Amino acid sequence: MLKYSRQRESIKKYLDTHRTHPTAEIVYQNVKQEFPNISLGTVYRNLNLLAERGEILRISPGNGPDHYDADLTPHYHFLCTECGQVLDIDMEHQAQLDDIAMKQFDGIITNHVTQFFGLCPKCNNTKMN
Amino acid sequence: MLKYSRQRESIKKYLDTHRTHPTAEIVYQNVKQEFPNISLGTVYRNLNLLAERGEILRISPGNGPDHYDADLTPHYHFLCTECGQVLDIDMEHQAQLDDIAMKQFDGIITNHVTQFFGLCPKCNNTKMN
DNA sequence: ATCCGTGCAAAGAATTTGCATACAT
DNA sequence: ATGTATGCAAATTCTTTGCACGGAT
């Protein structure tokens, strides 16, 4: 049975109020201001717990640490190949992809994750100068 | 300048002849049969080198080690949430996704990676018994 | 002769875990 | 009172890297 904890509430609140797709380390640095003794292990434990319960989303870029997102509406992410920044992509969820993929597939497909790659606005501007 | 090495050739050949999306460890175990002294570090170095040169593809599932694929035609992968197996999905490449994503996006999108999740044929059958 | 690739082992990054204690129920 | 959550540090997993030596050009 799940018990309340102030630490977990603080972690969840941080994600709810910051849609910047922070890593565990960044969540840790920030929640630390409210709970100076909190440990990175506790942050990981709670991020996993929240992700398992479907209260937050885990974003795994190919390399580097995972990012977390409290925005549960189905949406896609962009990963900047230059600075690593994670941004939301404003486009409709492409649910039909699962159906298309299922056509020639002998198992069951429940969902998909799409990540877009390229240059974020900031890095793109920098390159053009 | 890139110099030939028998180890790299063997690694590439293994990937060319096995479309099972092996991990570095599995490539290592197999190439070891031809080069008993090869080290895991060398396998990693060459997989990175081949991936950078675009000769092979790296597949990063959310958790666990990366997988590698010598099939360079644009295609999608399925990741079994039960056994972790990586399978090819037989469907057309959805190039239009990049255009749709670009519409409301202020940077540059060059490509996307989509991974489908669910139960592979084997795990699905097991579940039904 | 030059210098890149290798094997080995140690280091590194990200994450998980065992344990004693603190806290929620 | 019971049992989950925490803090701490050690352990784990996956991958990278420094170094001396061997092999390709």
Side-chain angles (χ1 to χ4, degrees):
Chain A
M1 179 237 184
L2 187 64
K3 282 187 182 170
Y4 170 85
S5 96
R6 285 169 294 163
Q7 288 88 335
R8 186 184 313 126
E9 183 180 52
S10 180
I11 289 167
K12 181 64 163 41
K13 192 172 72 188
Y14 181 78
L15 288 171
D16 277 334
T17 54
H18 298 80
R19 296 304 170 86
T20 50
H21 317 95
T23 61
E25 181 65 35
I26 293 192
V27 172
Y28 171 61
Q29 295 299 343
N30 283 278
V31 173
K32 212 174 182 175
Q33 293 173 19
E34 190 179 353
F35 295 93
N37 292 325
I38 197 172
S39 74
L40 189 51
T42 294
V43 172
Y44 272 108
R45 265 188 292 239
N46 280 302
L47 289 173
N48 282 337
L49 213 156
L50 291 167
E52 275 165 31
R53 294 171 59 88
E55 296 186 39
I56 63 172
L57 222 89
R58 187 197 316 276
I59 304 164
S60 295
N63 61 326
D66 286 352
H67 294 245
Y68 298 88
D69 189 352
D71 181 358
L72 296 177
T73 65
H75 65 286
Y76 296 105
H77 291 115
F78 167 87
L79 281 70
C80 181
T81 52
E82 191 80 7
C83 69
Q85 190 172 184
V86 179
L87 296 173
D88 286 328
I89 285 287
D90 181 10
M91 69 183 271
E92 280 180 32
H93 182 66
Q94 309 283 312
Q96 79 281 9
L97 290 180
D98 292 345
D99 304 328
I100 299 174
M102 271 283 256
K103 276 192 186 138
Q104 298 291 107
F105 186 69
D106 222 24
I108 292 193
I109 289 174
T110 55
N111 65 303
H112 70 269
V113 168
T114 296
Q115 298 179 335
F116 292 93
F117 296 90
L119 292 177
C120 73
K122 203 180 296 180
C123 289
N124 189 34
N125 283 333
T126 307
K127 280 252 158 129
M128 287 164 84
N129 296 339
Chain B
M1 179 237 187
L2 188 65
K3 281 186 182 171
Y4 169 85
S5 97
R6 285 169 293 162
Q7 288 88 336
R8 186 183 313 126
E9 182 179 54
S10 180
I11 289 166
K12 180 65 163 44
K13 192 172 71 188
Y14 182 78
L15 288 171
D16 276 334
T17 54
H18 298 80
R19 296 302 171 90
T20 51
H21 317 93
T23 60
E25 180 66 35
I26 293 191
V27 172
Y28 171 61
Q29 295 299 342
N30 283 278
V31 172
K32 211 173 181 175
Q33 293 173 20
E34 191 179 353
F35 296 93
N37 293 325
I38 197 172
S39 76
L40 189 50
T42 294
V43 173
Y44 272 107
R45 265 189 291 240
N46 280 301
L47 288 173
N48 282 337
L49 214 156
L50 291 167
E52 275 164 32
R53 294 171 60 88
E55 297 186 38
I56 63 171
L57 222 88
R58 186 198 315 276
I59 304 164
S60 295
N63 60 326
D66 286 352
H67 295 245
Y68 298 87
D69 189 352
D71 180 359
L72 296 178
T73 64
H75 64 288
Y76 297 104
H77 292 114
F78 167 87
L79 282 70
C80 182
T81 52
E82 192 80 7
C83 68
Q85 190 171 183
V86 179
L87 297 172
D88 285 329
I89 285 287
D90 181 10
M91 69 183 271
E92 280 181 33
H93 182 65
Q94 310 283 312
Q96 79 282 7
L97 291 181
D98 292 345
D99 304 328
I100 298 174
M102 271 283 254
K103 277 191 188 141
Q104 298 291 106
F105 186 69
D106 221 24
I108 292 193
I109 289 174
T110 55
N111 66 304
H112 70 269
V113 169
T114 297
Q115 298 179 335
F116 292 92
F117 295 89
L119 292 177
C120 73
K122 202 179 296 179
C123 289
N124 189 32
N125 283 333
T126 307
K127 280 253 157 128
M128 288 164 82
N129 296 340

